[in-house]
Amino acid sequence: MLKVQNLNVFIGHKKIIQGINFQIKAGEIVGLIGPNGAGKTTTMKTILGLTKFTGTIKINGVEVTANNHQALTKTGALIEHPAIYPFLTGRQNLILYSKDKVDMNNLIAVLEMSDYIDKKVAGYSLGMKQKLGIAIAFLNKPQLIILDEPMNGLDVTATIRVRQLIKHYAEAGTAFLISSHILSELQKVMTKAILINSGKIIIDQEVAEFNRLRQQKYQLGTENNLSAGKLLADNKIEFVSQDAYLVVKRQDVYSIQDLLLKNHIHLTEMHPATADFEQIVVDILAKQRS
């Protein structure tokens, strides 16, 4: 649905995006992750033809160029702030973009905007404006939807609603590219993660691979952790004492079991030590800097 090849973006003489390549299939929900200034919003704007670039961007096989935005006719987007007119009502804003009244009314209902949709947007709260911007992005059942910080300003109920909406559209074949600093929320919907830093893609992986990384260590409990720890240290096996456990590398588990058995130390508990997704991202970025 989206194919980006050798994408470069310059601001003056400085290269902001550096030869990135990635693609998104129909129905995929791709999280674009990275620190501030990494190039996430610039990448999204460039895909939408809002920034000059070199390289190739194709949406459903149609190339995006500076003079031809035909590829964007089936694309919805919310970048930075909702593009809405404050002197119009929410419904009037939606009508400007809507091609299907039933589809529009369904989004109003799903996002629970009925109570205020006929009031002028100038009086909307941040969360209300955000939901209206999301509704605009979802209008007309796009093939590709690009969302930059979609959960910004939303309460818990609205966040769940948006998450359900994303999954529903993805199941129908819509492809998503979503950027968010709230990784715990992004993790609940994305099927693939792209980690970008300093304008370069560091990782482009299925979520299943990230889940594998999350279980690289095991927590062990023994009848005598002090003696077990000394035994591991004497045999040069890396471990960390954490609460009531010894945290070890997965590849060492079998040899540790043999070693404990040989020294008559009983293993009482063993299970994967699941790392926090945010911590994995932080660790990857830290390794890149070192």
Side-chain angles (χ1 to χ4, degrees):
M1 190 58 67
L2 172 65
K3 191 170 186 177
V4 175
Q5 291 179 295
N6 195 30
L7 181 66
N8 296 280
V9 179
F10 292 83
I11 294 181
H13 295 293
K14 186 177 180 181
K15 189 183 283 189
I16 303 299
I17 303 298
Q18 306 185 47
I20 66 174
N21 299 275
F22 68 92
Q23 59 184 11
I24 303 175
K25 299 174 185 176
E28 279 192 319
I29 305 171
V30 177
L32 187 61
I33 303 164
N36 291 334
K40 302 185 298 296
T41 300
T42 300
T43 298
M44 290 178 155
K45 286 182 175 179
T46 306
I47 291 168
L48 294 169
L50 301 175
T51 308
K52 290 183 178 179
F53 66 92
T54 63
T56 305
I57 300 171
K58 289 184 179 181
I59 298 175
N60 202 20
V62 181
E63 190 168 347
V64 177
T65 66
N67 301 317
N68 178 18
H69 291 176
Q70 184 65 31
L72 302 172
T73 55
K74 294 291 289 181
T75 301
L78 172 60
I79 305 291
E80 293 184 328
H81 306 292
I84 51 182
Y85 295 99
F87 53 86
L88 299 178
T89 67
R91 190 183 302 276
Q92 287 170 332
N93 270 279
L94 289 172
I95 289 171
L96 287 174
Y97 304 99
S98 176
K99 298 177 183 177
D100 183 336
K101 188 175 180 180
V102 174
D103 173 56
M104 181 186 77
N105 288 333
N106 179 62
L107 285 167
I108 291 171
V110 169
L111 291 170
E112 298 183 331
M113 299 189 294
S114 300
D115 290 345
Y116 57 84
I117 197 66
D118 291 306
K119 296 178 181 178
K120 287 190 176 180
V121 172
Y124 282 18
S125 67
L126 174 62
M128 292 158 69
K129 290 177 182 177
Q130 189 73 0
K131 285 201 285 185
L132 181 58
I134 289 169
I136 291 172
F138 278 77
L139 279 173
N140 310 315
K141 295 182 171 60
Q143 295 175 333
L144 171 68
I145 297 179
I146 298 175
L147 302 172
D148 187 18
E149 300 292 343
M151 307 306 183
N152 185 36
L154 299 183
D155 60 24
V156 174
T157 302
T159 298
I160 293 171
R161 287 276 181 175
V162 171
R163 196 165 67 222
Q164 291 172 338
L165 194 62
I166 290 169
K167 288 182 177 180
H168 176 70
Y169 272 60
E171 287 169 0
T174 299
F176 284 86
L177 180 63
I178 306 174
S179 170
S180 178
H181 285 104
I182 309 173
L183 297 187
S184 58
E185 280 301 324
L186 193 55
Q187 187 183 358
K188 292 174 184 175
V189 295
M190 67 179 179
T191 58
K192 187 168 78 168
I194 294 175
L195 179 57
I196 185 172
N197 193 26
S198 301
K200 298 178 181 178
I201 290 179
I202 303 168
I203 285 179
D204 181 354
Q205 287 181 337
E206 302 292 326
V207 167
E209 177 61 17
F210 265 93
N211 288 336
R212 188 189 68 78
L213 290 173
R214 294 176 69 209
Q215 296 184 345
Q216 290 296 299
K217 294 185 179 180
Y218 271 71
Q219 289 181 325
L220 307 182
T222 72
E223 61 183 356
N224 190 331
N225 281 358
L226 189 63
S227 297
K230 185 177 184 306
L231 184 63
L232 297 184
D234 289 344
N235 285 271
K236 296 183 171 52
I237 297 175
E238 292 183 22
F239 75 96
V240 175
S241 294
Q242 190 176 84
D243 299 325
Y245 300 103
L246 301 175
V247 180
V248 301
K249 292 180 179 179
R250 184 172 62 176
Q251 62 264 33
D252 292 332
V253 166
Y254 291 147
S255 57
I256 289 171
Q257 287 179 299
D258 293 342
L259 191 61
L260 292 176
L261 180 62
K262 184 179 178 180
N263 288 270
H264 308 291
I265 298 175
H266 295 113
L267 189 65
T268 59
E269 194 174 344
M270 181 174 68
H271 52 82
T274 304
D276 180 79
F277 182 77
E278 292 182 3
Q279 189 58 51
I280 291 173
V281 172
V282 170
D283 290 345
I284 291 171
L285 292 172
K287 285 179 181 178
Q288 192 204 22
R289 288 192 294 267
S290 61

